[in-house]
Coordinates of all heavy atoms in Angstrom, one line a residue:
M1 N 16.4 -89.7 -5.8 CA 15.5 -90.2 -4.7 C 15.2 -89.0 -3.7 O 16.1 -88.1 -3.5 CB 16.4 -91.3 -3.9 CG 15.6 -91.9 -2.9 SD 16.5 -93.3 -2.2 CE 15.6 -93.7 -0.8
G2 N 13.9 -89.0 -3.4 CA 13.5 -87.9 -2.5 C 13.9 -88.0 -1.1 O 14.6 -89.0 -0.7
R3 N 13.6 -86.9 -0.4 CA 13.9 -86.8 1.0 C 13.2 -87.9 1.8 O 11.9 -88.1 1.5 CB 13.6 -85.4 1.5 CG 14.4 -84.9 2.5 CD 14.1 -83.5 2.8 NE 13.0 -83.5 3.8 CZ 12.2 -82.5 4.1 NH1 12.5 -81.3 3.5 NH2 11.3 -82.5 5.0
R4 N 13.8 -88.5 2.8 CA 13.1 -89.4 3.7 C 12.1 -88.7 4.6 O 12.5 -87.6 5.1 CB 14.1 -90.2 4.6 CG 14.8 -91.2 3.7 CD 15.7 -92.0 4.6 NE 15.1 -92.8 5.7 CZ 15.7 -93.2 6.7 NH1 17.0 -93.0 6.8 NH2 15.0 -93.8 7.6
S5 N 11.0 -89.3 4.9 CA 10.0 -88.6 5.8 C 10.5 -88.8 7.3 O 11.3 -89.7 7.6 CB 8.6 -89.3 5.7 OG 8.6 -90.5 6.2
K6 N 10.0 -87.9 8.1 CA 10.4 -88.0 9.5 C 9.8 -89.3 10.1 O 10.4 -89.9 11.0 CB 9.8 -86.8 10.3 CG 10.6 -85.6 10.1 CD 10.2 -84.5 11.0 CE 11.1 -83.3 10.8 NZ 10.9 -82.2 11.6
A7 N 8.7 -89.7 9.6 CA 8.2 -91.1 10.1 C 9.2 -92.2 9.8 O 9.4 -93.1 10.6 CB 6.8 -91.4 9.4
D8 N 9.9 -92.1 8.7 CA 10.9 -93.1 8.3 C 12.1 -92.9 9.1 O 12.7 -93.9 9.6 CB 11.2 -93.1 6.8 CG 10.1 -93.7 6.0 OD1 9.4 -94.5 6.4 OD2 10.0 -93.2 4.8
I9 N 12.5 -91.6 9.2 CA 13.7 -91.3 10.0 C 13.7 -91.8 11.4 O 14.6 -92.4 12.0 CB 14.1 -89.8 9.9 CG1 14.4 -89.4 8.5 CG2 15.2 -89.4 10.9 CD1 14.4 -87.9 8.2
Y10 N 12.5 -91.5 12.1 CA 12.4 -91.8 13.4 C 11.8 -93.3 13.6 O 11.6 -93.7 14.8 CB 11.4 -90.9 14.1 CG 11.9 -89.4 14.2 CD1 11.1 -88.4 14.0 CD2 13.3 -89.2 14.5 CE1 11.5 -87.1 14.1 CE2 13.7 -87.9 14.5 CZ 12.8 -86.8 14.3 OH 13.2 -85.5 14.4
D11 N 11.7 -94.0 12.5 CA 11.2 -95.4 12.5 C 9.8 -95.5 13.2 O 9.6 -96.3 14.1 CB 12.2 -96.3 13.2 CG 12.0 -97.8 12.9 OD1 11.4 -98.1 11.9 OD2 12.3 -98.6 13.7
L12 N 8.9 -94.6 12.8 CA 7.5 -94.6 13.4 C 6.4 -95.1 12.6 O 5.3 -95.1 13.0 CB 7.2 -93.0 13.6 CG 8.1 -92.4 14.7 CD1 7.8 -90.9 14.7 CD2 7.9 -93.0 16.1
V13 N 6.7 -95.6 11.4 CA 5.7 -96.0 10.5 C 4.8 -97.0 11.1 O 3.5 -97.0 11.2 CB 6.2 -96.5 9.2 CG1 5.2 -97.1 8.3 CG2 7.0 -95.4 8.4
D14 N 5.4 -98.0 11.7 CA 4.6 -99.2 12.3 C 3.7 -98.6 13.5 O 2.6 -99.0 13.7 CB 5.4 -100.3 12.9 CG 6.0 -101.1 11.7 OD1 5.5 -101.2 10.6 OD2 7.0 -101.7 11.9
R15 N 4.3 -97.7 14.3 CA 3.6 -97.1 15.5 C 2.4 -96.3 15.0 O 1.3 -96.3 15.5 CB 4.6 -96.3 16.3 CG 3.9 -95.5 17.4 CD 4.7 -95.8 18.7 NE 3.9 -95.2 19.8 CZ 4.2 -94.1 20.4 NH1 5.3 -93.5 20.0 NH2 3.6 -93.6 21.4
I16 N 2.6 -95.4 13.9 CA 1.6 -94.6 13.3 C 0.5 -95.5 12.9 O -0.7 -95.2 13.2 CB 2.1 -93.8 12.2 CG1 3.0 -92.7 12.8 CG2 1.0 -93.1 11.4 CD1 3.8 -91.9 11.7
L17 N 0.8 -96.7 12.3 CA -0.3 -97.5 11.8 C -1.0 -98.2 12.9 O -2.3 -98.3 12.9 CB 0.3 -98.7 10.9 CG 0.8 -98.3 9.6 CD1 1.6 -99.4 8.9 CD2 -0.3 -97.9 8.7
L18 N -0.3 -98.5 14.0 CA -1.0 -99.0 15.1 C -1.9 -98.0 15.8 O -3.1 -98.4 16.2 CB 0.0 -99.6 16.1 CG 0.7 -100.9 15.8 CD1 1.8 -101.2 16.8 CD2 -0.3 -102.0 15.7
L19 N -1.5 -96.8 16.0 CA -2.3 -95.8 16.5 C -3.5 -95.5 15.7 O -4.6 -95.2 16.2 CB -1.4 -94.5 16.7 CG -0.4 -94.5 17.8 CD1 0.5 -93.3 17.6 CD2 -0.9 -94.7 19.2
Y20 N -3.4 -95.6 14.4 CA -4.5 -95.4 13.5 C -5.5 -96.5 13.4 O -6.7 -96.3 13.5 CB -3.9 -95.1 12.1 CG -5.0 -94.6 11.1 CD1 -5.5 -93.4 11.1 CD2 -5.4 -95.6 10.1 CE1 -6.5 -93.0 10.2 CE2 -6.4 -95.1 9.3 CZ -6.8 -93.9 9.2 OH -7.8 -93.5 8.3
T21 N -5.0 -97.8 13.4 CA -5.9 -98.9 13.1 C -6.4 -99.4 14.5 O -7.6 -99.8 14.6 CB -5.1 -100.0 12.4 OG1 -4.0 -100.4 13.1 CG2 -4.9 -99.6 11.0
R22 N -5.5 -99.6 15.5 CA -5.9 -100.2 16.7 C -6.6 -99.2 17.7 O -7.6 -99.5 18.4 CB -4.8 -100.9 17.4 CG -4.4 -102.2 16.7 CD -3.6 -103.1 17.5 NE -3.2 -104.2 16.7 CZ -2.1 -104.9 16.9 NH1 -1.3 -104.6 17.9 NH2 -1.8 -105.9 16.1
E23 N -5.9 -98.1 17.9 CA -6.4 -97.1 18.8 C -7.5 -96.1 18.2 O -8.0 -95.3 18.9 CB -5.3 -96.3 19.5 CG -4.4 -97.2 20.3 CD -3.4 -96.4 21.2 OE1 -3.7 -95.3 21.5 OE2 -2.3 -97.1 21.4
K24 N -7.6 -96.3 16.9 CA -8.6 -95.4 16.2 C -8.4 -93.9 16.4 O -9.3 -93.1 16.3 CB -10.0 -95.8 16.6 CG -10.4 -97.3 16.5 CD -10.3 -97.7 15.0 CE -10.8 -99.1 14.9 NZ -10.2 -99.9 13.8
L25 N -7.1 -93.5 16.4 CA -6.8 -92.1 16.5 C -6.8 -91.5 15.1 O -6.4 -92.2 14.1 CB -5.4 -91.8 17.2 CG -5.2 -92.4 18.6 CD1 -3.9 -92.1 19.1 CD2 -6.3 -91.8 19.5
N26 N -7.1 -90.2 15.0 CA -7.1 -89.6 13.7 C -5.6 -89.0 13.5 O -4.9 -89.0 14.4 CB -8.2 -88.5 13.5 CG -8.1 -87.5 14.4 OD1 -7.1 -86.9 14.9 ND2 -9.3 -87.0 14.9
I27 N -5.4 -88.4 12.3 CA -4.1 -87.9 12.0 C -3.6 -86.8 13.0 O -2.6 -86.9 13.5 CB -4.1 -87.4 10.6 CG1 -4.2 -88.6 9.6 CG2 -2.8 -86.6 10.2 CD1 -4.5 -88.2 8.2
R28 N -4.5 -85.9 13.3 CA -4.2 -84.8 14.3 C -3.8 -85.4 15.6 O -2.9 -85.0 16.3 CB -5.4 -83.9 14.4 CG -5.1 -82.7 15.3 CD -6.3 -81.8 15.6 NE -7.5 -82.5 15.9 CZ -7.7 -83.0 17.2 NH1 -6.8 -82.9 18.1 NH2 -8.9 -83.6 17.5
E29 N -4.7 -86.4 16.2 CA -4.4 -87.0 17.4 C -3.1 -87.8 17.4 O -2.4 -87.7 18.4 CB -5.6 -87.9 17.8 CG -6.9 -87.2 18.0 CD -8.1 -88.1 18.1 OE1 -8.0 -89.2 17.5 OE2 -9.0 -87.7 18.8
I30 N -2.8 -88.5 16.4 CA -1.5 -89.2 16.3 C -0.3 -88.2 16.4 O 0.6 -88.4 17.1 CB -1.4 -90.0 14.9 CG1 -2.5 -91.1 15.1 CG2 0.0 -90.6 14.8 CD1 -2.7 -91.9 13.7
A31 N -0.4 -87.1 15.6 CA 0.7 -86.2 15.5 C 0.8 -85.4 16.9 O 2.0 -85.3 17.4 CB 0.5 -85.0 14.5
D32 N -0.3 -85.1 17.5 CA -0.2 -84.5 18.9 C 0.3 -85.5 19.9 O 1.2 -85.0 20.7 CB -1.7 -84.1 19.3 CG -2.2 -82.9 18.5 OD1 -1.4 -82.3 17.8 OD2 -3.5 -82.7 18.6
K33 N -0.1 -86.8 19.8 CA 0.5 -87.7 20.8 C 2.0 -87.9 20.7 O 2.8 -87.9 21.6 CB -0.2 -89.1 20.6 CG 0.2 -90.1 21.6 CD -0.6 -91.4 21.3 CE -0.1 -92.5 22.3 NZ -1.0 -92.6 23.5
L34 N 2.5 -88.0 19.4 CA 3.9 -88.1 19.2 C 4.7 -86.8 19.6 O 5.8 -86.9 20.1 CB 4.2 -88.5 17.7 CG 3.6 -89.9 17.3 CD1 3.8 -90.0 15.7 CD2 4.3 -91.0 18.0
Q35 N 4.1 -85.7 19.3 CA 4.7 -84.4 19.7 C 4.8 -84.3 21.3 O 5.8 -83.8 21.8 CB 3.9 -83.3 19.1 CG 4.1 -83.1 17.7 CD 3.2 -82.1 17.0 OE1 2.3 -81.6 17.6 NE2 3.4 -82.0 15.7
E36 N 3.7 -84.8 22.0 CA 3.7 -84.8 23.4 C 4.9 -85.6 24.0 O 5.4 -85.4 25.0 CB 2.4 -85.4 24.0 CG 1.3 -84.4 23.9 CD 0.0 -85.0 24.2 OE1 0.0 -86.2 24.6 OE2 -1.1 -84.4 24.1
E37 N 5.3 -86.7 23.2 CA 6.4 -87.6 23.6 C 7.7 -87.0 23.2 O 8.8 -87.7 23.3 CB 6.2 -89.0 23.0 CG 5.0 -89.6 23.5 CD 4.6 -91.0 22.8 OE1 5.5 -91.4 22.0 OE2 3.6 -91.5 23.0
G38 N 7.7 -85.8 22.6 CA 9.0 -85.1 22.2 C 9.5 -85.4 20.8 O 10.6 -85.1 20.5
I39 N 8.6 -86.1 20.0 CA 9.0 -86.4 18.6 C 8.5 -85.2 17.7 O 7.3 -84.8 17.7 CB 8.4 -87.7 18.2 CG1 8.9 -88.8 19.1 CG2 8.7 -88.0 16.8 CD1 8.2 -90.2 18.9
D40 N 9.4 -84.6 17.0 CA 9.1 -83.5 16.1 C 8.6 -84.0 14.7 O 9.3 -84.4 13.8 CB 10.4 -82.7 15.8 CG 10.1 -81.6 14.9 OD1 9.0 -81.0 14.9 OD2 11.1 -81.1 14.2
I41 N 7.2 -84.1 14.7 CA 6.6 -84.7 13.5 C 5.3 -84.0 13.2 O 4.6 -83.5 14.1 CB 6.3 -86.2 13.6 CG1 5.9 -86.8 12.2 CG2 5.3 -86.5 14.6 CD1 6.0 -88.3 12.2
S42 N 5.1 -83.6 12.0 CA 3.9 -82.8 11.6 C 2.7 -83.8 11.3 O 2.9 -85.0 11.0 CB 4.2 -82.0 10.3 OG 4.4 -82.7 9.2
R43 N 1.5 -83.2 11.2 CA 0.3 -83.9 10.8 C 0.5 -84.3 9.3 O 0.1 -85.5 8.9 CB -0.9 -83.0 10.9 CG -1.2 -82.7 12.3 CD -2.5 -81.8 12.4 NE -2.6 -81.3 13.7 CZ -3.3 -80.2 14.0 NH1 -3.9 -79.5 13.0 NH2 -3.4 -79.8 15.2
E44 N 1.1 -83.5 8.6 CA 1.3 -83.9 7.1 C 2.2 -85.1 7.0 O 2.0 -86.0 6.2 CB 1.9 -82.7 6.3 CG 2.1 -82.9 4.8 CD 0.8 -83.3 4.1 OE1 -0.4 -83.0 4.7 OE2 0.9 -83.8 3.0
A45 N 3.3 -85.2 7.8 CA 4.1 -86.4 7.8 C 3.4 -87.6 8.2 O 3.6 -88.7 7.6 CB 5.3 -86.1 8.7
V46 N 2.5 -87.5 9.2 CA 1.7 -88.7 9.5 C 0.8 -89.0 8.4 O 0.6 -90.2 8.1 CB 0.8 -88.2 10.8 CG1 -0.1 -89.4 11.1 CG2 1.7 -88.1 12.1
R47 N 0.1 -88.1 7.7 CA -0.8 -88.4 6.6 C -0.1 -89.1 5.5 O -0.5 -89.9 4.9 CB -1.5 -87.0 6.1 CG -2.5 -87.3 5.1 CD -2.8 -86.1 4.4 NE -1.7 -85.6 3.5 CZ -1.3 -86.0 2.4 NH1 -1.9 -87.1 1.9 NH2 -0.3 -85.5 1.7
R48 N 1.1 -88.5 5.2 CA 1.9 -89.1 4.1 C 2.2 -90.6 4.4 O 2.2 -91.4 3.6 CB 3.1 -88.3 3.8 CG 2.9 -87.1 3.0 CD 4.2 -86.4 2.5 NE 5.1 -86.2 3.6 CZ 5.3 -85.1 4.2 NH1 4.5 -84.0 3.9 NH2 6.3 -85.0 5.1
S49 N 2.6 -90.8 5.6 CA 3.0 -92.2 6.1 C 1.8 -93.1 5.9 O 2.0 -94.2 5.5 CB 3.5 -92.1 7.6 OG 3.7 -93.4 8.0
L50 N 0.6 -92.7 6.4 CA -0.6 -93.6 6.2 C -0.9 -93.8 4.8 O -1.3 -94.9 4.4 CB -1.7 -92.9 7.0 CG -1.7 -93.0 8.5 CD1 -2.7 -92.1 9.1 CD2 -1.7 -94.4 9.0
K51 N -0.8 -92.7 3.9 CA -1.2 -92.8 2.5 C -0.2 -93.8 1.9 O -0.6 -94.7 1.1 CB -1.0 -91.5 1.8 CG -1.3 -91.6 0.4 CD -1.2 -90.2 -0.3 CE -1.5 -90.3 -1.8 NZ -0.9 -89.2 -2.6
S52 N 1.1 -93.7 2.1 CA 2.1 -94.7 1.6 C 1.8 -96.1 2.0 O 2.0 -97.0 1.1 CB 3.5 -94.1 2.0 OG 4.5 -95.0 1.6
S53 N 1.5 -96.2 3.2 CA 1.2 -97.6 3.8 C 0.0 -98.2 3.1 O -0.1 -99.3 2.7 CB 1.0 -97.6 5.3 OG 2.2 -97.2 6.0
R54 N -1.0 -97.4 2.8 CA -2.3 -97.9 2.2 C -1.9 -98.3 0.7 O -2.3 -99.3 0.2 CB -3.3 -96.8 2.1 CG -4.0 -96.7 3.4 CD -5.3 -95.7 3.3 NE -5.4 -95.0 4.5 CZ -5.3 -93.7 4.7 NH1 -5.1 -92.9 3.6 NH2 -5.4 -93.2 5.8
E55 N -1.1 -97.4 0.1 CA -0.7 -97.7 -1.3 C 0.1 -99.0 -1.4 O -0.1 -99.9 -2.2 CB 0.1 -96.7 -1.9 CG -0.7 -95.4 -2.2 CD 0.0 -94.1 -2.5 OE1 1.3 -94.1 -2.5 OE2 -0.5 -93.0 -2.9
L56 N 1.0 -99.3 -0.5 CA 1.8 -100.5 -0.4 C 0.9 -101.7 -0.1 O 1.1 -102.7 -0.8 CB 2.8 -100.4 0.7 CG 3.8 -101.5 0.9 CD1 4.5 -101.8 -0.4 CD2 4.7 -101.3 2.0
A57 N -0.1 -101.5 0.8 CA -0.9 -102.7 1.1 C -1.8 -103.0 -0.3 O -2.0 -104.2 -0.5 CB -1.9 -102.3 2.2
A58 N -2.2 -102.0 -0.9 CA -3.0 -102.2 -2.1 C -2.1 -102.9 -3.2 O -2.6 -103.9 -3.9 CB -3.5 -100.9 -2.7
D59 N -0.9 -102.5 -3.4 CA 0.0 -103.1 -4.3 C 0.3 -104.7 -3.9 O 0.2 -105.5 -4.8 CB 1.4 -102.5 -4.3 CG 1.3 -101.2 -5.1 OD1 0.4 -100.9 -5.7 OD2 2.3 -100.4 -4.9
M60 N 0.4 -104.9 -2.6 CA 0.5 -106.3 -2.1 C -0.7 -107.1 -2.4 O -0.6 -108.3 -2.8 CB 0.9 -106.3 -0.6 CG 2.3 -105.7 -0.4 SD 2.6 -105.6 1.4 CE 3.1 -107.4 1.7
R61 N -1.8 -106.5 -2.2 CA -3.2 -107.3 -2.5 C -3.2 -107.6 -3.9 O -3.6 -108.7 -4.3 CB -4.4 -106.5 -2.0 CG -4.7 -106.6 -0.6 CD -6.0 -106.0 -0.2 NE -6.1 -104.6 -0.5 CZ -5.7 -103.5 0.3 NH1 -5.3 -103.9 1.5 NH2 -5.8 -102.3 0.0
R62 N -2.9 -106.6 -4.8 CA -2.9 -106.9 -6.3 C -1.9 -108.0 -6.7 O -2.3 -108.9 -7.5 CB -2.6 -105.7 -7.0 CG -3.8 -104.7 -7.2 CD -3.5 -103.6 -8.2 NE -2.4 -102.7 -7.8 CZ -2.6 -101.7 -7.0 NH1 -3.7 -101.4 -6.4 NH2 -1.6 -100.9 -6.7
S63 N -0.7 -108.0 -6.1 CA 0.3 -108.9 -6.4 C -0.2 -110.4 -5.9 O 0.0 -111.3 -6.7 CB 1.6 -108.6 -5.7 OG 2.1 -107.4 -6.3
L64 N -0.8 -110.4 -4.8 CA -1.2 -111.7 -4.3 C -2.3 -112.3 -5.1 O -2.3 -113.4 -5.5 CB -1.8 -111.5 -2.8 CG -2.4 -112.7 -2.1 CD1 -1.2 -113.7 -1.9 CD2 -2.9 -112.4 -0.8
E65 N -3.2 -111.4 -5.6 CA -4.3 -111.8 -6.5 C -3.7 -112.3 -7.8 O -4.2 -113.4 -8.4 CB -5.3 -110.7 -6.7 CG -6.4 -111.1 -7.5 CD -7.3 -112.4 -7.1 OE1 -7.3 -112.6 -5.8 OE2 -7.7 -113.1 -7.9
E66 N -2.8 -111.6 -8.4 CA -2.2 -112.1 -9.7 C -1.5 -113.4 -9.5 O -1.6 -114.3 -10.3 CB -1.1 -111.0 -10.0 CG -1.8 -109.8 -10.5 CD -0.8 -108.6 -10.8 OE1 0.4 -108.8 -10.8 OE2 -1.2 -107.5 -11.0
A67 N -0.8 -113.6 -8.3 CA -0.1 -114.8 -8.1 C -1.2 -116.0 -8.0 O -0.9 -117.1 -8.5 CB 0.7 -114.7 -6.8
R68 N -2.3 -115.7 -7.3 CA -3.3 -116.8 -7.2 C -3.9 -117.1 -8.5 O -4.1 -118.4 -8.8 CB -4.4 -116.3 -6.2 CG -4.0 -116.3 -4.8 CD -5.2 -116.0 -3.9 NE -4.7 -116.1 -2.6 CZ -5.1 -115.2 -1.5 NH1 -5.9 -114.3 -1.9 NH2 -4.7 -115.4 -0.4
V69 N -4.1 -116.1 -9.4 CA -4.6 -116.4 -10.8 C -3.7 -117.2 -11.5 O -4.0 -118.2 -12.2 CB -5.0 -115.1 -11.4 CG1 -5.2 -115.3 -12.9 CG2 -6.1 -114.4 -10.7
M70 N -2.4 -116.8 -11.4 CA -1.3 -117.7 -12.2 C -1.3 -119.0 -11.6 O -1.2 -120.0 -12.4 CB 0.0 -116.9 -12.1 CG 1.1 -117.6 -12.8 SD 2.6 -116.7 -12.9 CE 3.2 -116.7 -11.1
M71 N -1.4 -119.2 -10.4 CA -1.3 -120.5 -9.7 C -2.5 -121.4 -10.2 O -2.3 -122.5 -10.6 CB -1.3 -120.4 -8.2 CG -0.7 -121.6 -7.6 SD -0.2 -121.3 -5.8 CE -1.8 -121.6 -5.1
D72 N -3.7 -120.8 -10.2 CA -4.8 -121.6 -10.7 C -4.7 -121.9 -12.2 O -5.1 -123.1 -12.5 CB -6.1 -120.7 -10.4 CG -6.5 -120.6 -9.0 OD1 -6.0 -121.4 -8.2 OD2 -7.3 -119.7 -8.7
E73 N -4.2 -121.1 -12.9 CA -4.0 -121.3 -14.4 C -3.1 -122.5 -14.6 O -3.3 -123.3 -15.4 CB -3.5 -120.0 -15.1 CG -3.5 -120.2 -16.6 CD -4.9 -120.3 -17.2 OE1 -5.9 -119.7 -16.6 OE2 -5.0 -121.0 -18.2
V74 N -1.9 -122.5 -13.9 CA -1.0 -123.5 -14.0 C -1.7 -124.9 -13.5 O -1.4 -126.0 -14.2 CB 0.3 -123.3 -13.2 CG1 1.2 -124.4 -13.2 CG2 1.0 -122.0 -13.9
R75 N -2.4 -124.9 -12.5 CA -3.1 -126.0 -12.0 C -4.0 -126.6 -13.0 O -4.2 -127.8 -13.2 CB -3.8 -125.7 -10.7 CG -3.0 -125.8 -9.4 CD -3.9 -125.8 -8.2 NE -3.0 -125.7 -7.1 CZ -3.3 -124.8 -6.0 NH1 -4.3 -124.1 -6.1 NH2 -2.5 -124.8 -5.1
N76 N -4.7 -125.7 -13.7 CA -5.7 -126.1 -14.6 C -5.2 -126.6 -16.0 O -5.8 -127.2 -16.8 CB -6.7 -125.0 -14.9 CG -7.6 -124.7 -13.7 OD1 -7.8 -125.5 -12.8 ND2 -8.1 -123.5 -13.6
N77 N -3.9 -126.3 -16.2 CA -3.2 -126.7 -17.5 C -1.8 -127.2 -17.2 O -0.8 -126.7 -17.6 CB -3.1 -125.4 -18.4 CG -4.4 -124.8 -18.7 OD1 -5.3 -125.5 -19.3 ND2 -4.6 -123.6 -18.4
P78 N -1.9 -128.5 -16.5 CA -0.6 -129.0 -16.2 C 0.1 -129.7 -17.5 O 0.3 -130.9 -17.4 CB -1.0 -130.0 -15.1 CG -2.3 -130.5 -15.5 CD -3.0 -129.2 -16.1
N79 N 0.5 -128.9 -18.3 CA 1.2 -129.5 -19.5 C 2.7 -129.8 -19.4 O 3.2 -130.4 -20.4 CB 0.9 -128.5 -20.8 CG -0.6 -128.3 -21.1 OD1 -1.3 -129.3 -20.8 ND2 -1.0 -127.2 -21.5
T80 N 3.3 -129.2 -18.5 CA 4.8 -129.5 -18.4 C 5.1 -129.9 -17.0 O 4.4 -129.7 -16.0 CB 5.5 -128.2 -18.7 OG1 5.2 -127.2 -17.8 CG2 5.1 -127.6 -20.1
D81 N 6.3 -130.4 -16.9 CA 6.8 -130.8 -15.6 C 7.1 -129.6 -14.7 O 7.1 -129.6 -13.5 CB 8.1 -131.5 -15.7 CG 7.8 -132.9 -16.3 OD1 6.7 -133.4 -16.3 OD2 8.8 -133.5 -17.0
I82 N 7.4 -128.4 -15.4 CA 7.7 -127.2 -14.7 C 6.5 -126.7 -13.9 O 6.6 -126.0 -12.9 CB 8.2 -126.1 -15.7 CG1 9.5 -126.6 -16.3 CG2 8.3 -124.8 -15.1 CD1 10.1 -125.7 -17.4
A83 N 5.3 -127.0 -14.5 CA 4.0 -126.5 -13.8 C 4.0 -126.8 -12.4 O 3.6 -126.0 -11.5 CB 2.8 -127.0 -14.6
E84 N 4.3 -128.1 -12.0 CA 4.2 -128.5 -10.6 C 5.1 -127.7 -9.8 O 4.8 -127.3 -8.7 CB 4.3 -130.0 -10.5 CG 4.1 -130.4 -9.1 CD 4.3 -132.0 -9.0 OE1 4.3 -132.7 -10.0 OE2 4.4 -132.4 -7.9
A85 N 6.3 -127.5 -10.3 CA 7.4 -126.8 -9.6 C 6.9 -125.3 -9.4 O 7.1 -124.8 -8.3 CB 8.7 -126.8 -10.3
V86 N 6.3 -124.7 -10.4 CA 5.8 -123.3 -10.3 C 4.7 -123.2 -9.3 O 4.7 -122.4 -8.4 CB 5.4 -122.8 -11.6 CG1 4.7 -121.4 -11.5 CG2 6.6 -122.6 -12.6
V87 N 3.7 -124.1 -9.2 CA 2.7 -124.2 -8.3 C 3.2 -124.3 -6.9 O 2.8 -123.6 -6.0 CB 1.6 -125.3 -8.7 CG1 0.6 -125.4 -7.5 CG2 0.9 -124.8 -9.9
T88 N 4.1 -125.2 -6.8 CA 4.7 -125.4 -5.4 C 5.4 -124.2 -4.9 O 5.3 -123.8 -3.7 CB 5.7 -126.6 -5.4 OG1 4.9 -127.8 -5.8 CG2 6.3 -126.9 -4.1
R89 N 6.2 -123.6 -5.8 CA 6.9 -122.4 -5.4 C 6.0 -121.2 -5.0 O 6.1 -120.6 -4.0 CB 7.8 -122.0 -6.5 CG 8.7 -120.7 -6.3 CD 9.6 -120.9 -5.1 NE 10.4 -119.7 -4.9 CZ 10.7 -119.2 -3.8 NH1 10.3 -119.9 -2.7 NH2 11.3 -118.1 -3.7
I90 N 5.1 -121.0 -5.9 CA 4.1 -119.9 -5.6 C 3.3 -120.2 -4.4 O 3.0 -119.3 -3.6 CB 3.2 -119.7 -6.9 CG1 4.0 -119.1 -8.0 CG2 2.0 -118.7 -6.6 CD1 3.3 -119.0 -9.4
G91 N 2.9 -121.4 -4.2 CA 2.1 -121.8 -3.0 C 2.9 -121.5 -1.8 O 2.4 -121.0 -0.8
G92 N 4.2 -121.8 -1.8 CA 5.1 -121.5 -0.7 C 5.2 -120.0 -0.4 O 5.2 -119.6 0.8
L93 N 5.2 -119.2 -1.5 CA 5.3 -117.7 -1.3 C 4.0 -117.2 -0.7 O 4.0 -116.2 0.0 CB 5.6 -117.1 -2.6 CG 7.0 -117.4 -3.2 CD1 7.1 -116.8 -4.6 CD2 8.0 -116.8 -2.3
L94 N 2.9 -117.7 -1.0 CA 1.6 -117.2 -0.6 C 1.4 -117.5 0.8 O 0.6 -116.8 1.5 CB 0.5 -117.8 -1.4 CG 0.5 -117.2 -3.0 CD1 -0.6 -117.9 -3.8 CD2 0.3 -115.8 -3.1
L95 N 1.8 -118.6 1.3 CA 1.6 -119.1 2.7 C 2.6 -118.6 3.6 O 3.0 -117.8 4.1 CB 1.6 -120.6 2.8 CG 0.6 -121.2 1.8 CD1 0.7 -122.8 1.9 CD2 -0.8 -120.9 2.2

């Protein structure tokens, strides 16, 4: 397992995402703002944190789409009693 990033160590991932998405700050501005607050973090650590978050979001979107496709398939082919249970379970996970 690799070394943990400073964003993870300082529990800053959510804050970095908020600064990037809501306040529309760029990577340099985020790093500068955190450094002004006394947090020792580089621009590269901020960039890696944003990249990792984007990759995780993409994985989650793909998983959600796969689950929806599977749920639709089971609904369209209700050949077993298990089908209803699977649809109910997946539906609960999606909501």
